[in-house]
Amino acid sequence: MSLKAFHFVFIVASILMACGFAVWSFQNYAAPGGVRSDLVAGIVAALAAGGLVAYECYFLRKFKNVSFI
Amino acid sequence: MEIPYTTEPRKDTGLFNAKLGIWLFLASEVMLFGALFSSYILLRIGAEPGAWPHGLLNVPLGTVNTIVLIVSSITVVMAWASLKMKNFGNFRKYQAVTLVCSLCFLGIKSYEYNDKFSHYEVQLNDGRVVDGHMVEKSADGFTIHGHYVDKAEAAKVTHAWQEHEIKHEEIKIKNSDVKYKENYGPWHNTYMAIYFTLTGLHALHVIGGALVIAFLWGPGASMWKTDPERYTNRIEVSGLFWHFVDLVWIFLFPVLYLL
């Protein structure tokens, strides 16, 4: 597995983590005693997940000539 | 005698020597961290209901560290791509950013560790418990910025956000009133022990990876002039290790800070 393939896997894991963090933050905000910073964190995490998806597409285009092995 | 397969891949494995070596090493690392993650899971599911601590770690700082490591993994790949395109100048710039990111991560981690070592649980002779950070020390006592622990209320805290509701104040305590006091080091409880073990081992890996990247960025870069293909392979191998270290953190962050 080349660095390209490992980077692809790593960014997928980061996207999943960012989505999980967004859900965790929104849950905190919705719970009794939730504060505005939880809402902000959730929005930022969701945007980060979107940004990482865009980056993953850019990365695959840029490295299309490099082997996954 | 020339060592074979330093640049071209072996026909049977499809890999050059260093890549095969790093993947064997990473397999052993997976077993090491896997064993520690398994320990964490077993300790956690074996804990008394409601006894597992929540909200002890600083989530914003953990988030910043996560972003720092994700950025560093991107710059490592860009540095490798720069070498593939024979652009050594860009490689230097990207790897410099990687090194700055590694120093940022270690700086933030040190701050978090220091915060835990100044965080105390103090049991008083009258049975009350004070929890908070040591802000001042004198000959006859000390001041804690924290709160009196209500055990019934503490048992209700099952999620980090409930910690927001606890009000903190400056509490002056005389040494003569103290039954025992202990900071939140690895000896404090099972959670702190596994937290320091996992993050400490991870931080050692960050230091190791940063040293290798720094060597290849500095004195080791002379190979670029003599054997650029082999040098590019070395950068790829160091990048694979760096990605492994970053991936471990991607699992550590939600497990230790959020759940």
Side-chain angles (χ1 to χ4, degrees):
Chain A
M1 191 195 271
S2 71
L3 185 54
K4 176 189 172 179
F6 202 3
H7 189 65
F8 176 78
V9 171
F10 173 76
I11 296 297
V12 169
S14 301
I15 291 165
L16 294 175
M17 192 275 297
C19 291
F21 188 28
V23 170
W24 181 83
S25 300
F26 288 135
Q27 268 185 348
N28 283 1
Y29 180 67
V35 289
R36 189 177 287 179
S37 59
D38 291 325
L39 178 65
V40 174
I43 293 168
V44 171
L47 290 174
L52 284 167
V53 170
Y55 167 73
E56 188 86 303
C57 295
Y58 161 79
F59 168 74
L60 287 175
R61 273 201 310 274
K62 189 178 167 77
F63 283 72
K64 64 182 173 193
N65 296 325
V66 179
S67 163
F68 271 101
I69 301 165
Chain B
M1 193 186 91
E2 198 174 307
I3 301 170
Y5 310 117
T6 53
T7 51
E8 82 280 13
R10 254 180 88 115
K11 284 204 173 58
D12 51 358
T13 60
L15 303 170
F16 56 87
N17 292 344
K19 199 185 268 186
L20 181 65
I22 194 71
W23 276 112
L24 287 174
F25 176 65
L26 291 184
S28 73
E29 291 280 77
V30 167
M31 287 184 258
L32 173 66
F33 278 100
L36 286 169
F37 271 107
S38 304
S39 305
Y40 174 88
I41 292 165
L42 290 172
L43 287 168
R44 181 154 183 178
I45 60 175
E48 292 287 317
W52 196 256
H54 290 275
L56 284 180
L57 300 179
N58 189 325
V59 176
L61 281 182
T63 307
V64 170
N65 256 353
T66 306
I67 294 167
V68 164
L69 284 190
I70 291 173
V71 169
S72 76
S73 77
I74 292 171
T75 55
V76 158
V77 167
M78 292 303 164
W80 175 59
S82 300
L83 287 185
K84 287 261 183 198
M85 293 186 283
K86 313 287 181 206
N87 190 337
F88 189 74
N90 271 359
F91 158 77
R92 270 263 162 91
K93 285 177 200 158
Y94 281 124
Q95 285 298 64
V97 176
T98 307
L99 288 170
V100 170
C101 285
S102 67
L103 290 175
C104 277
F105 178 86
L106 291 170
I108 291 171
K109 203 75 227 148
S110 307
Y111 174 82
E112 282 190 277
Y113 276 10
N114 182 55
D115 182 70
K116 287 292 143 236
F117 285 112
S118 64
H119 185 181
Y120 279 82
E121 184 181 75
V122 184
Q123 191 170 349
L124 305 177
N125 288 326
D126 61 10
R128 290 184 301 170
V129 175
V130 177
D131 190 278
H133 286 84
M134 179 92 70
V135 288
E136 198 183 338
K137 251 181 178 177
S138 62
D140 61 334
F142 51 91
T143 306
I144 294 275
H145 179 75
H147 63 280
Y148 287 99
V149 178
D150 181 335
K151 284 186 180 170
E153 287 296 316
K156 291 178 194 167
V157 175
T158 55
H159 291 89
W161 68 80
Q162 292 164 319
E163 293 286 325
H164 294 306
E165 295 164 17
I166 299 171
K167 280 187 181 173
H168 289 67
E169 57 185 317
E170 304 275 308
I171 303 167
K172 287 187 187 295
I173 301 169
K174 287 181 183 171
N175 285 334
S176 56
D177 293 337
V178 176
K179 188 175 179 187
Y180 103 108
K181 77 173 195 285
E182 187 177 75
N183 65 13
Y184 278 69
W187 41 78
H188 185 66
N189 58 28
T190 309
Y191 173 76
M192 295 313 297
I194 197 77
Y195 163 74
F196 274 101
T197 306
L198 279 166
T199 57
L201 188 66
H202 177 263
L204 286 176
H205 280 73
V206 172
I207 292 169
L211 285 175
V212 171
I213 288 170
F215 172 77
L216 292 171
W217 184 80
S222 57
M223 186 186 262
W224 174 249
K225 289 175 187 156
T226 56
D227 195 348
E229 204 175 335
R230 193 174 176 191
Y231 182 70
T232 306
N233 286 348
R234 285 188 171 186
I235 295 303
E236 183 181 7
V237 166
S238 66
L240 285 169
F241 178 76
W242 192 254
H243 270 69
F244 173 78
V245 172
D246 294 352
L247 191 62
V248 168
W249 181 259
I250 292 296
F251 286 99
L252 277 180
F253 172 64
V255 164
L256 293 173
Y257 286 73
L258 307 184
L259 300 177

